[in-house]
Amino acid sequence: MEIVTKAHGKMEISEDRIITIPDGLFGFEKYTKFALVDSDYEPFLWLQSTEDPNLAFLIVDPFLICSYYETDIDDDSLAKIGITKPEDIIIMTIVTVPHDGSAITANFQGPLVINKVNRKCVQAILSDNRWSTKVNIIEALNSKGDSVC
């Protein structure tokens, strides 16, 4: 499938890199089809809308930043995307790179839950107050996840 991306212009993306977010992301509910596109900076990926080339989010695996990160996601959210087994889940977090040079952060309170079997996704909201919407990635990596995230 050919898509137009924010970072790389036109690209060919295989169908197994396309995910559907039936309810959209918070604040972007009308966009439901996205592609997972490699970033120039591993381990980050782009979550690129296939419906709007200007809509893309940098995402990362939160467990690379914080080894003790936990998600207690409600059964209704998991059922929406057809999750029946924990091993079918991929968790990613949206990254914010501010233009003003302040800290690069990850949203640990609103992770993306991807069903790797059917490639459906939901953005969960965790009620656990240990997790923030603005976890400082560099600070967490420098402390090896010791209570920073």
Side-chain angles (χ1 to χ4, degrees), residues 105-126:
T105 61
N107 181 353
F108 276 34
Q109 195 171 43
L112 304 178
V113 183
I114 303 169
N115 181 330
K116 64 183 175 184
V117 176
N118 65 16
R119 297 186 314 276
K120 288 187 178 180
C121 174
V122 66
Q123 185 175 17
I125 297 296
L126 304 180

Side-chain angles (χ1 to χ4, degrees), residues 51-101:
E51 300 155 309
D52 182 345
N54 293 314
L55 183 61
F57 301 92
L58 203 55
I59 61 174
V60 70
D61 178 342
F63 300 101
L64 296 175
I65 298 166
C66 180
S67 61
Y68 66 90
Y69 181 58
E70 295 176 345
T71 58
D72 184 17
I73 299 160
D74 65 276
D75 291 340
D76 289 341
S77 293
L78 296 177
K80 278 184 188 178
I81 59 171
I83 293 291
T84 57
K85 300 180 288 190
E87 57 267 22
D88 292 340
I89 296 174
I90 298 171
I91 302 288
M92 300 296 280
T93 55
I94 295 176
V95 174
T96 300
V97 182
H99 294 288
D100 65 3

